[in-house]
Amino acid sequence: MIGITSYGAYIPRYRIKVEEIARVWGDDPEHIKKGLLIYEKSVPDLDEDTATIAVEAARSAIYRRSIDPKEIGAIYVGSESHPYAVKPTATIVAEAIRATPDLTAADFEFACKAGTAAIQTCMGEVAMGAIKYGMAIGADISQSAPGDALEYTAAAGGAAYIIGKKNLITEIEDTFSFTTDTPDFWRREGESYPMHGGRFTGEPAYFKHIISATKGIMKKVGTKPSDYDYVVFHQPNGKFPLRVAKTLGFSEEQIGLGLVVPMMGNTYSGSSLIGLAAILDQAKPGSMILMTSFGSGAGSDAFSMTVTDGIEEVRDKAPTIAELLKNPRYLDYALYAKHKGKIAV
Amino acid sequence: MAVPRLWRHIPTRYNLIGTECQTCGGLYFPPRTTCPTCRRDGRIIERKFKGTGEVVTYTTIYSASAAFHRQTPYVLAIVKLDEGPLLTGQIVCDPDEAKIGMKVRPVFRKLGEDGPSGIIYYGTKFAPLTEASQ
Ligand SMILES: [Zn+2]
């Protein structure tokens, strides 16, 4: 059986509240909070980017399981905010966790689902016996134009997963994907901020892909919503995942533990993976988890997995999502703009 | 900084790889190719430092060169690593959090960049050691 051997996450310490962004743009904060189900979001420090976030998450995953980094045969970093246009983030991570030089590495791009695509690739290489362990990372420092609705949600964070056959904390029963060419959200080369199709981002993109992939995985492994203890979806805001859960027949109880977006925002490639980490922080052996990511453009990857006894060995060995969210430092909009590079200093 | 020099410094910067003299047990960071105590008798090997340590002294930088101006104010400290060597590094905390004797742990951060089109330098800075990070 193939599954998750270890995981690690990282969330920058800085936050900005919805009230502070709303104050600057003259929006009603209560309306935003109710509409998006989001209260504050993480902001990277001035010297943090997708590579540093990926490294911190990767180190946490290594540390949690005391894995010899030389046994990692592949590192894939999924992001839509790689620091270089040409020059992989994955090599920086490989060097920083001392996994070099006998491994393969690459950067993945598929909007917010690049990290789950990386998990699937690791599963394939582990299955064929080419590598013992593969590391898949989803990390982003998402950008949003000042004043755009996305500014309330675009956050920073990431998570790393080590995929293998041994020392598992979850067994992955199977994975299923649903992919179409849907232009709901994009950013052209050289542009600082993404564009989106407004309301078009909902029904034909997020909902259609997540629903199709989630139904697909349940059909493939022969499960139904009530078989799962926990479910986690991509979280562009708090409302979308709750609605998609309801449509599919999952309860608020099943989705609650992994719904991390209200207190940290949308971490794009990190979103569903940080949600899964929050579930693994607490799930008991035998629990079944369903995860479905979503990437604009568009596609969803769904995974069905079962927590093993191994979870108890690693649970407290690295910072949990709850611990990473503790002791935030709040920024006002001016400092936030400086952190996000929105103003030239 | 020239790209080849940056590249040679990657192990040192990313993972605090220094050196140890097997003859006298001396630990060196940054790495030294010869032992100042044993000289020709010194047997030098690679040594990874954990990166945990204590702030010996620090200063808050309010005015910096163009490359670091954006980051001001920031805390620059002399850190005594648990293994012994002293090194200078940035502490990623607000100036009011910094204290002499404060325990720190290593974090991976951007150290700088050669302008918007040049190489980005990454490496080790330090953060306050909190319960969650132990
Ligand atoms: Zn010596």
mmCIF file of all heavy atoms in Angstrom, chain A residues 40 43 58-59 89 91 131 172 192 199 205-206 219 235 241 258 268 290 310 316 318 336:
data_model
loop_
_atom_site.group_PDB
_atom_site.id
_atom_site.type_symbol
_atom_site.label_atom_id
_atom_site.label_comp_id
_atom_site.label_asym_id
_atom_site.label_seq_id
_atom_site.Cartn_x
_atom_site.Cartn_y
_atom_site.Cartn_z
ATOM 1 N N GLU A 40 -9.364 36.727 9.022
ATOM 2 C CA GLU A 40 -8.026 37.277 8.860
ATOM 3 C C GLU A 40 -7.225 36.359 7.947
ATOM 4 O O GLU A 40 -7.630 35.221 7.699
ATOM 5 C CB GLU A 40 -7.337 37.435 10.217
ATOM 6 C CG GLU A 40 -7.309 36.178 11.057
ATOM 7 C CD GLU A 40 -6.876 36.454 12.497
ATOM 8 O OE1 GLU A 40 -7.656 37.099 13.226
ATOM 9 O OE2 GLU A 40 -5.784 36.017 12.876
ATOM 10 N N VAL A 43 0.187 36.745 6.151
ATOM 11 C CA VAL A 43 0.975 37.622 5.284
ATOM 12 C C VAL A 43 2.444 37.213 5.448
ATOM 13 O O VAL A 43 2.910 37.056 6.575
ATOM 14 C CB VAL A 43 0.797 39.105 5.708
ATOM 15 C CG1 VAL A 43 1.595 40.019 4.796
ATOM 16 C CG2 VAL A 43 -0.671 39.505 5.722
ATOM 17 N N ALA A 58 8.951 21.505 4.366
ATOM 18 C CA ALA A 58 9.719 20.284 4.067
ATOM 19 C C ALA A 58 10.533 19.846 5.278
ATOM 20 O O ALA A 58 10.580 18.661 5.632
ATOM 21 C CB ALA A 58 10.638 20.531 2.870
ATOM 22 N N ARG A 59 11.183 20.804 5.941
ATOM 23 C CA ARG A 59 11.987 20.473 7.128
ATOM 24 C C ARG A 59 11.107 19.925 8.240
ATOM 25 O O ARG A 59 11.501 19.016 8.969
ATOM 26 C CB ARG A 59 12.759 21.705 7.601
ATOM 27 C CG ARG A 59 13.957 22.017 6.725
ATOM 28 C CD ARG A 59 14.708 23.234 7.219
ATOM 29 N NE ARG A 59 15.958 23.397 6.487
ATOM 30 C CZ ARG A 59 16.738 24.465 6.578
ATOM 31 N NH1 ARG A 59 16.393 25.467 7.371
ATOM 32 N NH2 ARG A 59 17.862 24.530 5.890
ATOM 33 N N THR A 89 12.246 25.965 -7.847
ATOM 34 C CA THR A 89 12.160 26.071 -6.395
ATOM 35 C C THR A 89 12.583 24.746 -5.771
ATOM 36 O O THR A 89 13.181 24.709 -4.691
ATOM 37 C CB THR A 89 10.698 26.376 -5.979
ATOM 38 O OG1 THR A 89 10.242 27.522 -6.702
ATOM 39 C CG2 THR A 89 10.589 26.654 -4.489
ATOM 40 N N THR A 91 14.898 22.640 -6.391
ATOM 41 C CA THR A 91 16.321 22.417 -6.113
ATOM 42 C C THR A 91 16.748 23.143 -4.840
ATOM 43 O O THR A 91 17.600 22.664 -4.097
ATOM 44 C CB THR A 91 17.202 22.894 -7.292
ATOM 45 O OG1 THR A 91 16.896 24.265 -7.565
ATOM 46 C CG2 THR A 91 16.950 22.064 -8.543
ATOM 47 N N ILE A 131 11.576 5.029 -6.562
ATOM 48 C CA ILE A 131 12.042 5.794 -5.401
ATOM 49 C C ILE A 131 11.452 5.190 -4.130
ATOM 50 O O ILE A 131 10.415 4.527 -4.169
ATOM 51 C CB ILE A 131 11.634 7.294 -5.488
ATOM 52 C CG1 ILE A 131 10.100 7.452 -5.576
ATOM 53 C CG2 ILE A 131 12.309 7.965 -6.665
ATOM 54 C CD1 ILE A 131 9.617 8.894 -5.465
ATOM 55 N N ILE A 172 -3.302 5.505 1.194
ATOM 56 C CA ILE A 172 -4.137 6.134 0.163
ATOM 57 C C ILE A 172 -4.765 5.020 -0.670
ATOM 58 O O ILE A 172 -4.057 4.292 -1.365
ATOM 59 C CB ILE A 172 -3.314 7.097 -0.722
ATOM 60 C CG1 ILE A 172 -2.694 8.216 0.137
ATOM 61 C CG2 ILE A 172 -4.200 7.700 -1.825
ATOM 62 C CD1 ILE A 172 -1.784 9.177 -0.623
ATOM 63 N N SER A 192 1.919 41.112 -12.700
ATOM 64 C CA SER A 192 2.067 40.946 -11.255
ATOM 65 C C SER A 192 0.857 40.272 -10.620
ATOM 66 O O SER A 192 0.995 39.520 -9.665
ATOM 67 C CB SER A 192 2.266 42.305 -10.581
ATOM 68 O OG SER A 192 3.412 42.925 -11.081
ATOM 69 N N ARG A 199 -17.888 36.003 -11.443
ATOM 70 C CA ARG A 199 -18.802 34.956 -10.979
ATOM 71 C C ARG A 199 -18.551 33.616 -11.671
ATOM 72 O O ARG A 199 -18.959 32.575 -11.191
ATOM 73 C CB ARG A 199 -20.255 35.384 -11.218
ATOM 74 C CG ARG A 199 -20.649 36.536 -10.323
ATOM 75 C CD ARG A 199 -22.152 36.729 -10.296
ATOM 76 N NE ARG A 199 -22.491 37.770 -9.333
ATOM 77 C CZ ARG A 199 -22.644 37.544 -8.053
ATOM 78 N NH1 ARG A 199 -22.485 36.330 -7.585
ATOM 79 N NH2 ARG A 199 -22.939 38.519 -7.230
ATOM 80 N N ALA A 205 -16.514 26.208 -12.641
ATOM 81 C CA ALA A 205 -15.114 25.947 -12.317
ATOM 82 C C ALA A 205 -15.018 25.177 -10.990
ATOM 83 O O ALA A 205 -14.948 23.954 -10.975
ATOM 84 C CB ALA A 205 -14.340 27.257 -12.265
ATOM 85 N N TYR A 206 -15.038 25.907 -9.874
ATOM 86 C CA TYR A 206 -14.847 25.287 -8.558
ATOM 87 C C TYR A 206 -15.843 24.156 -8.293
ATOM 88 O O TYR A 206 -15.459 23.022 -8.000
ATOM 89 C CB TYR A 206 -14.974 26.373 -7.484
ATOM 90 C CG TYR A 206 -14.784 25.879 -6.064
ATOM 91 C CD1 TYR A 206 -13.515 25.824 -5.499
ATOM 92 C CD2 TYR A 206 -15.870 25.473 -5.295
ATOM 93 C CE1 TYR A 206 -13.336 25.382 -4.202
ATOM 94 C CE2 TYR A 206 -15.697 25.026 -3.990
ATOM 95 C CZ TYR A 206 -14.430 24.981 -3.448
ATOM 96 O OH TYR A 206 -14.264 24.535 -2.171
ATOM 97 N N LYS A 219 -16.899 6.640 -6.362
ATOM 98 C CA LYS A 219 -17.337 5.566 -7.256
ATOM 99 C C LYS A 219 -16.193 4.568 -7.462
ATOM 100 O O LYS A 219 -16.389 3.345 -7.431
ATOM 101 C CB LYS A 219 -17.774 6.163 -8.598
ATOM 102 C CG LYS A 219 -18.465 5.153 -9.497
ATOM 103 C CD LYS A 219 -19.011 5.809 -10.760
ATOM 104 C CE LYS A 219 -19.574 4.727 -11.678
ATOM 105 N NZ LYS A 219 -19.536 5.142 -13.081
ATOM 106 N N GLN A 235 -9.992 25.626 -0.461
ATOM 107 C CA GLN A 235 -10.692 26.649 0.326
ATOM 108 C C GLN A 235 -10.358 28.065 -0.138
ATOM 109 O O GLN A 235 -9.566 28.754 0.492
ATOM 110 C CB GLN A 235 -10.323 26.482 1.812
ATOM 111 C CG GLN A 235 -10.665 25.097 2.321
ATOM 112 C CD GLN A 235 -10.030 24.757 3.660
ATOM 113 O OE1 GLN A 235 -9.701 25.646 4.451
ATOM 114 N NE2 GLN A 235 -9.871 23.480 3.931
ATOM 115 N N PRO A 241 -16.305 25.825 0.201
ATOM 116 C CA PRO A 241 -16.184 24.427 0.642
ATOM 117 C C PRO A 241 -17.399 23.944 1.433
ATOM 118 O O PRO A 241 -17.796 22.780 1.303
ATOM 119 C CB PRO A 241 -14.915 24.401 1.490
ATOM 120 C CG PRO A 241 -14.552 25.814 1.747
ATOM 121 C CD PRO A 241 -15.157 26.633 0.673
ATOM 122 N N GLY A 258 -10.979 20.332 9.000
ATOM 123 C CA GLY A 258 -10.030 20.723 7.951
ATOM 124 C C GLY A 258 -10.288 22.091 7.350
ATOM 125 O O GLY A 258 -9.568 22.533 6.458
ATOM 126 N N TYR A 268 -3.759 29.073 -1.564
ATOM 127 C CA TYR A 268 -3.651 28.582 -2.946
ATOM 128 C C TYR A 268 -3.155 27.136 -2.992
ATOM 129 O O TYR A 268 -3.869 26.248 -2.568
ATOM 130 C CB TYR A 268 -2.808 29.550 -3.794
ATOM 131 C CG TYR A 268 -3.556 30.840 -4.116
ATOM 132 C CD1 TYR A 268 -4.217 31.551 -3.130
ATOM 133 C CD2 TYR A 268 -3.620 31.344 -5.408
ATOM 134 C CE1 TYR A 268 -4.924 32.718 -3.422
ATOM 135 C CE2 TYR A 268 -4.319 32.516 -5.714
ATOM 136 C CZ TYR A 268 -4.962 33.194 -4.708
ATOM 137 O OH TYR A 268 -5.641 34.346 -5.004
ATOM 138 N N LEU A 290 -11.339 12.123 3.022
ATOM 139 C CA LEU A 290 -11.443 12.399 1.594
ATOM 140 C C LEU A 290 -10.954 13.823 1.359
ATOM 141 O O LEU A 290 -11.381 14.754 2.050
ATOM 142 C CB LEU A 290 -12.890 12.243 1.110
ATOM 143 C CG LEU A 290 -13.093 12.216 -0.410
ATOM 144 C CD1 LEU A 290 -14.344 11.410 -0.749
ATOM 145 C CD2 LEU A 290 -13.188 13.594 -1.025
ATOM 146 N N GLY A 310 0.239 4.420 12.738
ATOM 147 C CA GLY A 310 1.484 5.196 12.682
ATOM 148 C C GLY A 310 1.306 6.659 13.055
ATOM 149 O O GLY A 310 2.263 7.323 13.462
ATOM 150 N N ASP A 316 2.900 14.507 17.545
ATOM 151 C CA ASP A 316 3.401 15.656 18.307
ATOM 152 C C ASP A 316 4.854 15.998 18.006
ATOM 153 O O ASP A 316 5.475 16.756 18.739
ATOM 154 C CB ASP A 316 3.242 15.384 19.804
ATOM 155 C CG ASP A 316 1.808 15.065 20.167
ATOM 156 O OD1 ASP A 316 0.916 15.694 19.579
ATOM 157 O OD2 ASP A 316 1.585 14.170 21.010
ATOM 158 N N ALA A 318 6.161 17.600 15.380
ATOM 159 C CA ALA A 318 6.398 18.851 14.646
ATOM 160 C C ALA A 318 5.200 19.764 14.893
ATOM 161 O O ALA A 318 4.140 19.301 15.310
ATOM 162 C CB ALA A 318 6.569 18.556 13.156
ATOM 163 N N TYR A 336 1.252 46.036 5.740
ATOM 164 C CA TYR A 336 0.848 44.920 4.884
ATOM 165 C C TYR A 336 1.288 45.177 3.442
ATOM 166 O O TYR A 336 1.868 44.301 2.788
ATOM 167 C CB TYR A 336 -0.666 44.746 4.973
ATOM 168 C CG TYR A 336 -1.291 43.962 3.854
ATOM 169 C CD1 TYR A 336 -1.150 42.571 3.786
ATOM 170 C CD2 TYR A 336 -2.033 44.598 2.866
ATOM 171 C CE1 TYR A 336 -1.742 41.855 2.750
ATOM 172 C CE2 TYR A 336 -2.621 43.888 1.836
ATOM 173 C CZ TYR A 336 -2.477 42.520 1.782
ATOM 174 O OH TYR A 336 -3.046 41.817 0.759
#
